[in-house]
Amino acid sequence: MRRLNRKKTLSLVKELDAFPKVPDSYVETSASGGTVYQDTWMKYEYEVDKDFSSKLRINIDITVAMKCQYIGADVLDLAETMVASADGLVYEPVIFDLSPQQKEWQRMLQLIQSRLQEEHSLQDVIFKSAFKSTSTALPPREDDSSQPPDACRIRGHLYVNKVAGNFHITVGKAIPHPRGHAHLAALVNHDSYNFSHRIDHLSFGELVPGIINPLDGTEKIALDHNQMFQYFITIVPTKLHTYKISADTHQFSVTERERVINHAAGSHGVSGIFMKYDLSSLMVTVTEEHMPFWQFFVRLCGIVGGIFSTTGMLHGIGKFIVEIIYCRFRLGAYKPISSIPFEDGHTDNHLPLLENNTH
């Protein structure tokens, strides 16, 4: 993938369908609107998160390259509380390979993700561009494929306790157990294990369409039937206040790891997709701000005063140079009288005396 410069990347973010612009027919132009332009910026404030009683919402849209009857998804937190997957998750049989339009959507999303890792200031652009009437969800297929479904799309949301937990997708449906939980994996043929997956969307907190999260657009291909994919996620509660939206959401950072399960080689575990998350004790408040009018007016006066002062200095310097040139030109108009030679070879440089002849 070729590298793009910053200007082209900003243009790419603005042209993404997830951030549609207001049609020109809804925009009213005025002479005063274009006279004064005030840019905005994002202000970040940090404080201790004191909310421990509320629930944490997990928004999920993951496609696994296995049939829906072979896999199950659930959450187990540190309090050994199991969240039933039937509460908010939907299992939809789909085709794992994307259509051409969907591949273009994924390529665009991955390109923005790569630029966000290099240009962190682009996150402010995304915060300003997000609003509730748009969506970054995977677009529907535009082709009528006759291929039978070979994958399962798990999407929806769950509410969990605000403690560390583990959301996982593995073989077999989850069943409650007095000492935790278990999955009915004995009835699934081992050769059908394939945890190749695509994360179209994963976020925490209130769903804010238009916000791009770190794992959106991620695709992993399993090279072995017994393969484990792990995501270690640190969640930071975030309050977002812009001129377009106000939402309680969550940012997060993630570390990825994958390995093949081989008990003979000492690599133990269970095949599947595991997302282990933990919450930060700090809360971030992101507020969009702009320059106050009085401060803008003071700066404008300073700029105007500086222009007048600079103009006066340039005028004074120009006048001084012109006077010097003019004075030298006037002095050059008076030529000195040539010296008077004597017979002995000497010269007299004095001016001759004027004699008054009186008769």
Side-chain angles (χ1 to χ4, degrees), residues 204-222:
F204 299 86
E206 182 179 350
L207 183 61
V208 183
I211 297 296
I212 298 179
N213 298 278
L215 287 177
D216 294 355
T218 300
E219 183 175 285
K220 299 291 184 180
I221 303 299

Side-chain angles (χ1 to χ4, degrees), residues 52-64:
F52 301 104
S53 59
S54 63
K55 295 289 186 176
L56 174 65
R57 172 170 169 158
I58 306 178
N59 307 296
I60 303 165
D61 190 351
I62 301 176
T63 301
V64 184

